[in-house]
Amino acid sequence: MRVLVIGSGGREHAIVWALKKSPHVTKIFCATGNPGIAQLADCVAIKAEDIYGLAQFAQTNKIDLTIVGSESPLVKGIVDLFEERGLKIFGPSKAAAQLEGSKMFLKHFLKRHNIPTAIYQTFNQSEFQQAKDYVVANPSPVVIKTDGLAAGKGVAICQSKEEAVKTLKEYFEAKVFGDAGSNIVIEEFMTGEEASVFAMCDGEDYVVLPSAQDHKQILDGDKGKNTGGMGAYAPAPIVTQEILSRVEKEIIQPTLLGMKAEGYPYKGCLYVGLMITSNGPKVVEYNVRLGDPEAQVVLPLIESDVYELFSLCASGDVKNYLLKLKNASAVVVVMASKGYPDEYETGKEITGLDSTEENSVVFHAGTKREGNKILTSGGRVLGITAIGEGLSATIEKAYRAVKKISFENAYYRTDIGYKGLQRLH
Ligand code: AMP
Ligand code: GLY
C-alpha cells in the first residue's frame, strides 16, 4: 500500500515511523516532511494548505491512503475533496472539523447533546456591551476564547473582571485577532487537572488509544507562556479505568451519535481535551487530529498494525480492529530553540542525533538539512521519546537520551511526567 502523510512536524514523523512497521505499507510519501521523516519516506514539496495540489499528487501517484496530521487542511475541506475524487483519506469532513475550527459550534454542539463542559455564553461582533455585562455579572476567573483557529493563541484566562474587560477591548476594539476575534465564547474557569484521550473514529464506531498528558507551558512547574506542547507522557494515571469509562459514555459516544444524527458523521482522530474536575471529566476542547507532541508517545505504545487502524477508520470498519497495546510507558521531551514560544533562534547545528538510547526515538519537528548537517529551523526542534517499563524509569531514560543531543542554547523542561509520578505515589 502507498500512503501519503500530510504535515511536517514531530506528530507526522511519529505517524510515518509507526506506519513503517506495517507489512502492508510498501511506500510512504510525506508532504512536506522534514529531515527526520526523509529517512523513512519520500518528502514532497506540497504545502498542507494546498489541498488541490495534494489531491492531484494522490491521484497521479496512486496513493491508497492519505493521513492528515494537522487541522488546517481538514478545516479547509481536504477530506471532502479527496472523497469526491474517490481517494481514501483519514480525517473528518469540513463540516465535522468545525469541532476544532469553531469554538461556538463546539460549545453549542456539546450543549445540545448534554455533554459535560464549562458553562458558557457566545457573543458576536455587535455584542461588546453584552459581553462586558456578562463578565461583570459572573464570577472570575473567566476564559475568553475566539471562535476561529488563532494558532493556539485565542484563549485568555482572565483572573479578574478588570482583566476580562481589558481582554474584550483587545478583541473587539483593537482586533488583535482580526476576524477570528470578532466572535467569542466566554466560559466558566474549570479547576482540575488536564488530560487527553484520543478516539480513532470511523463515523460510528471508535477505538480508544492510551490517554496522555501534555505540558503546555514553557517553564517547569507549568509556569510561563503557553506553547504547542513541551512534552508528554502516556498512559496518564489520572485517567483511571473509571474516568475512561465515563469519558466514553458521557463524552465520546454521545459525540459520535450526535455528529451522525446531525448529518456529519465523525471520521478521524477525535482528540478529547479534558479537565478532570471534582465532578468528573469535562470537555475543554476537541481537536480533530492527533495531538503534537502526544502522538509521539501514544503511537509508540501501539503493538498492533497502525496502518490497519488508520485505514479501517477511513473505510468505516474500525469495529474490526483489534487494538493491542504495549504494557509500557512512553515519555517525550521536546527540545526547543531559545526564545520559543516568542521569537526564537534558528540555524544552529544539531549534534548527537545518531547516539540515542536503547528504546528511544528522535522525532524531528523544526529541523532542516544543509549539506550533511542538520540545523534547527523551528521553535520546537526535536521530540525525544523513550519507551520503557514504569513511568519513573522511562522519564530517566528520556532525559538520558536528551543529554546526548545538543545544539546551541537548546531549551527543554526538566519535569516532564512528574505530575504522573505524583499520582502513582
Ligand atoms: P483550548 O484552546 O480551548 O484548549 O484552551 C487552551 C488551554 O486553556 C487549555 O488547555 C486549558 O489549559 C485552558 N483552558 C481553556 N478553557 C478552560 C476552562 N474553561 N477552564 C480552565 N482552563 C481552560
Ligand atoms: N499538544 C496539543 C495539541 O496538539 O493541540
Side-chain angles (χ1 to χ4, degrees):
M1 294 291 171
R2 296 160 68 81
V3 186
L4 169 65
V5 176
I6 298 175
S8 59
R11 166 183 46 213
E12 290 76 25
H13 192 174
I15 293 171
V16 168
W17 175 85
L19 288 171
K20 196 79 188 166
K21 296 195 222 165
S22 167
H24 297 297
V25 175
T26 50
K27 179 94 188 156
I28 308 176
F29 295 94
C30 188
T32 55
N34 63 39
I37 294 174
Q39 295 173 349
L40 308 169
D42 282 8
C43 293
V44 219
I46 308 173
K47 295 234 163 68
E49 286 70 29
D50 180 8
I51 63 175
Y52 289 92
L54 290 163
Q56 183 65 51
F57 178 86
Q59 276 174 319
T60 313
N61 290 278
K62 303 198 164 29
I63 299 297
D64 297 295
L65 174 68
T66 298
I67 299 171
V68 186
S70 71
E71 62 280 8
S72 66
L74 295 167
V75 171
K76 272 192 145 174
I78 190 168
V79 169
D80 310 62
L81 176 68
F82 271 56
E83 290 185 342
E84 268 162 38
R85 298 191 183 182
L87 295 162
K88 189 165 161 186
I89 184 163
F90 173 89
S93 64
K94 183 175 183 175
Q98 288 183 87
L99 286 179
E100 176 167 358
S102 165
K103 299 266 188 217
M104 285 183 164
F105 175 88
L106 167 70
K107 297 298 289 194
H108 293 323
F109 174 85
L110 295 173
K111 192 173 182 181
R112 277 199 297 282
H113 297 280
N114 258 321
I115 298 169
T117 188
I119 297 167
Y120 75 99
Q121 189 75 252
T122 62
F123 299 91
N124 65 33
Q125 211 168 0
S126 63
E127 294 173 317
F128 183 28
Q129 187 57 45
Q130 287 91 324
K132 279 191 287 189
D133 293 345
Y134 184 83
V135 298
V136 170
N138 281 281
S140 299
V142 291
V143 184
I144 304 180
K145 301 184 178 182
T146 58
D147 177 49
L149 296 177
K153 296 199 177 101
V155 174
I157 296 173
C158 305
Q159 297 299 337
S160 65
K161 295 183 198 294
E162 293 70 37
E163 203 183 324
V165 171
K166 189 169 152 259
T167 302
L168 289 174
K169 280 190 183 149
E170 285 168 11
Y171 286 15
F172 282 83
E173 289 181 348
K175 289 207 168 284
V176 287
F177 290 110
D179 284 345
S182 28
N183 293 309
I184 59 161
V185 175
I186 306 182
E187 62 182 38
E188 155 206 25
F189 178 79
M190 299 186 284
T191 43
E193 206 172 305
E194 284 180 76
S196 3
V197 167
F198 306 91
M200 299 290 277
C201 309
D202 72 356
E204 203 157 339
D205 295 299
Y206 64 93
V207 162
V208 177
L209 302 183
S211 59
Q213 216 171 20
D214 188 10
H215 296 62
K216 283 192 177 149
Q217 272 114 335
I218 187 77
L219 302 174
D220 283 6
D222 293 333
K223 302 224 161 60
K225 289 196 170 165
N226 248 330
T227 71
M230 294 303 294
Y233 67 97
I238 187 168
V239 184
T240 57
Q241 232 357 285
E242 190 203 332
I243 298 273
L244 185 61
S245 63
R246 285 190 65 177
V247 170
E248 291 194 43
K249 278 200 195 76
E250 297 168 24
I251 296 173
I252 298 172
Q253 291 164 11
T255 297
L256 291 186
L257 280 172
M259 292 296 279
K260 187 163 180 235
E262 294 188 14
Y264 17 72
Y266 192 88
K267 230 177 54 174
C269 176
L270 180 69
Y271 169 133
V272 184
L274 293 166
M275 187 71 78
I276 315 294
T277 72
S278 52
N279 292 322
K282 294 188 181 180
V283 175
V284 178
E285 63 167 342
Y286 280 157
N287 292 319
V288 295
R289 34 84 190 167
L290 279 159
D292 194 2
E294 294 94 320
Q296 299 173 55
V297 287
V298 170
L299 295 174
L301 292 178
I302 303 179
E303 185 87 60
S304 38
D305 191 312
V306 166
Y307 168 80
E308 284 178 10
L309 175 60
F310 283 113
S311 173
L312 291 171
C313 285
S315 61
D317 301 309
V318 82
K319 64 174 177 299
N320 298 327
Y321 186 71
L322 199 68
L323 178 72
K324 194 161 171 255
L325 296 173
K326 290 191 182 128
N327 186 14
S329 290
V331 175
V332 59
V333 177
V334 170
M335 296 181 79
S337 298
K338 185 183 176 196
Y340 178 76
D342 298 319
E343 219 171 289
Y344 49 77
E345 306 177 336
T346 57
K348 308 289 181 193
E349 183 177 357
I350 309 171
T351 56
L353 284 169
D354 296 325
S355 55
T356 51
E357 283 279 312
E358 197 193 334
N359 280 326
S360 72
V361 200
V362 178
F363 293 119
H364 288 227
T367 66
K368 69 170 183 203
R369 177 176 285 281
E370 224 174 73
N372 46 20
K373 289 183 182 164
I374 303 287
L375 308 181
T376 65
S377 69
R380 293 191 293 178
V381 176
L382 299 167
I384 318 298
T385 292
I387 302 127
E389 225 172 280
L391 182 57
S392 175
T394 310
I395 292 172
E396 282 173 28
K397 193 198 294 222
Y399 280 106
R400 276 200 304 275
V402 166
K403 293 203 171 86
K404 293 184 174 169
I405 296 172
S406 55
F407 55 89
E408 198 186 317
N409 292 326
Y411 172 77
Y412 54 89
R413 272 181 65 160
T414 64
D415 65 345
I416 302 302
Y418 286 87
K419 259 193 292 194
L421 284 186
Q422 281 162 6
R423 293 223 160 244
L424 294 174
H425 292 149

